[in-house]
Amino acid sequence: MIAKRLLKSALVASAYHTGLLGLYLRRKLRGRAVALTYHRVLPEQELARSFSTDAIVVSPETFRHHMQVLRKSFNPLTAEQFSAALASGQWPARACIVTFDDGWLDNLQHALPILQECGVPAVLFVATDYIGTERCFWQETLARYLAAAATVPDRSAPLFTELGIAHVLKLPPDQARAATRAMIDSLKSQPQAQLDALLARVHGLLQQWQVELPQNHPDRFLTWAQVKQLNDSGVVTIASHCCSHTPLTKLGAEAVREELQRSRRVIQERVGIDTRDIAYPNGDHDSNIAAAVRDSGYRAAFTTIRGHVAPAANAFTLKRINIHERGTATPGAFLARLAGIF
């Protein structure tokens, strides 16, 4: 596996330095746009304390390099420009749009200064139920609970065995965190009620064991004042990521409509804008949900389906490319990711 990864990296680097990668990317994106998905921008010392998966994180240094590449070699669009071009059926040459999902505090702390420095616009999709609260997504919350449980292995061993990760208690911290996150990722398809019940049970055990939760972590969301600060920055447009961040495919039709309409209404009340763009939580959607988004007054909906945006793309199933540190830290690797090579 390592040898294969090294070979791929060497081939990409060679293609980048000879200009072949740039040529391939230009041909690949001819008449198309690319939408980039970011989530978090964390320095190394903050990443070490975060309970988010590495798959949604880039470092400030890498993010700055990405934005410099986009400003130099692409045509970064605002949300308005993107929707106008999509409606016209014709993309400007090298069109791209930078998007952020969720609404993490580090978007303000670490991403905004770089966006302003490079003059690159971005869209931030916020999950409104989390803004201005101490709450966190179930994935980070469960990871934090289990990290606390691991400090009392004599009591928590049966829990880790039940979850299929008993070996975690014998691993070094970094490996234990990675193994725990892999297990958590495998739970994504479970019903939300089942996930909520698991969280409640583990939290109850921690209270029973009198174990305190780690508080020194960067997994915090923006306040509404900070969301407005981002919106007023001149480079960030605020949009909807629904309310509860529950995948819409796990909800009934009425609950879906409530998520779509309430998130839009809350953003209007708190930020003073009428957003018409949305990103599906976890990217999950189907034709009925896409129709509900359209009927709720939105003009565009972004998925997590990997790919480029064609001129005649369905505005309610827009493809994006997820960007993270691993695999995009070098110029060649970043362009290869945008080209869809890996």
Side-chain angles (χ1 to χ4, degrees):
M1 179 67 73
I2 295 178
K4 184 177 180 180
R5 191 183 307 123
L6 290 174
L7 177 60
K8 182 183 288 187
S9 297
L11 291 173
V12 165
S14 176
Y16 171 75
H17 289 296
T18 60
L20 290 176
L21 180 56
L23 177 62
Y24 175 79
L25 182 59
R26 286 192 293 274
R27 290 175 62 89
K28 185 82 171 179
L29 292 179
R30 187 173 297 163
R32 295 172 177 265
V34 58
L36 295 78
T37 306
Y38 291 91
H39 293 80
R40 310 200 61 183
V41 180
L42 289 174
E44 184 176 354
Q45 64 271 23
E46 292 186 28
L47 176 59
R49 294 184 284 109
S50 172
F51 292 95
S52 286
T53 173
D54 292 352
I56 65 169
V57 179
V58 294
S59 68
E61 296 77 17
T62 296
F63 184 66
R64 175 176 285 106
H65 165 71
H66 291 175
M67 296 306 101
Q68 290 171 341
V69 169
L70 295 183
R71 173 46 62 199
K72 178 181 178 181
S73 303
F74 288 78
N75 181 8
L77 304 179
T78 65
E80 288 292 334
Q81 292 168 335
F82 185 90
S83 287
L86 180 62
S88 74
Q90 186 172 358
W91 292 111
R94 300 171 287 108
C96 71
I97 187 168
V98 173
T99 70
F100 277 85
D101 285 5
D102 302 337
W104 299 99
L105 176 59
D106 54 80
N107 295 174
L108 173 68
Q109 295 172 323
H110 304 302
L112 178 61
I114 295 171
L115 292 169
Q116 291 175 318
E117 171 191 323
C118 298
V120 175
V123 184
L124 172 58
F125 298 103
V126 296
T128 58
D129 281 356
Y130 291 85
I131 303 301
T133 76
E134 292 297 316
R135 296 175 59 201
C136 204
F137 292 159
W138 72 266
Q139 295 96 324
E140 281 80 11
T141 300
L142 182 56
R144 188 156 62 108
Y145 285 0
L146 293 176
T151 64
V152 286
D154 54 325
R155 297 181 180 182
S156 62
L159 171 65
F160 282 87
T161 299
E162 176 190 335
L163 295 173
I165 51 172
H167 64 290
V168 161
L169 296 174
K170 299 179 181 179
L171 294 176
D174 287 350
Q175 294 180 30
R177 183 167 296 188
T180 300
R181 278 301 319 208
M183 182 278 296
I184 290 173
D185 288 343
S186 73
L187 301 178
K188 280 187 175 182
S189 62
Q190 292 190 3
Q192 191 62 43
Q194 192 168 329
L195 296 173
D196 292 341
L198 175 60
L199 287 173
R201 187 162 70 87
V202 177
H203 187 249
L205 288 172
L206 292 176
Q207 291 180 318
Q208 178 184 323
W209 300 332
Q210 297 183 326
V211 176
E212 292 190 6
L213 290 169
Q215 298 298 325
N216 184 28
H217 65 86
D219 302 333
R220 306 186 189 281
F221 285 87
L222 296 156
T223 65
W224 281 111
Q226 291 166 335
V227 171
K228 193 170 191 314
Q229 180 182 345
L230 282 160
N231 189 71
D232 294 343
S233 68
V235 294
V236 176
T237 300
I238 302 302
S240 172
H241 203 31
C242 293
C243 301
S244 66
H245 199 256
T246 303
L248 297 181
T249 51
K250 292 186 177 184
L251 301 176
E254 186 57 38
V256 167
R257 283 191 292 271
E258 169 67 11
E259 289 267 342
L260 298 174
Q261 295 169 8
R262 182 164 64 89
S263 63
R264 191 177 176 191
R265 184 171 64 251
V266 169
I267 291 171
Q268 170 73 56
E269 294 169 351
R270 294 287 195 157
V271 187
I273 60 170
D274 182 19
T275 183
R276 298 180 60 204
D277 301 309
I278 191 169
Y280 297 110
N282 203 48
D284 295 351
H285 67 285
D286 57 29
S287 59
N288 290 330
I289 290 169
V293 170
R294 181 197 62 219
D295 294 343
S296 295
Y298 290 92
R299 66 182 175 185
F302 291 81
T303 72
T304 54
I305 299 172
R306 186 176 174 185
H308 303 124
V309 185
N314 184 329
F316 300 99
T317 57
L318 296 170
K319 297 177 180 179
R320 293 188 289 176
I321 294 179
N322 186 54
I323 306 296
H324 51 80
E325 184 76 14
R326 188 176 62 254
T328 67
T330 66
F334 179 53
L335 292 180
R337 182 76 176 174
L338 297 186
I341 295 175
F342 63 81

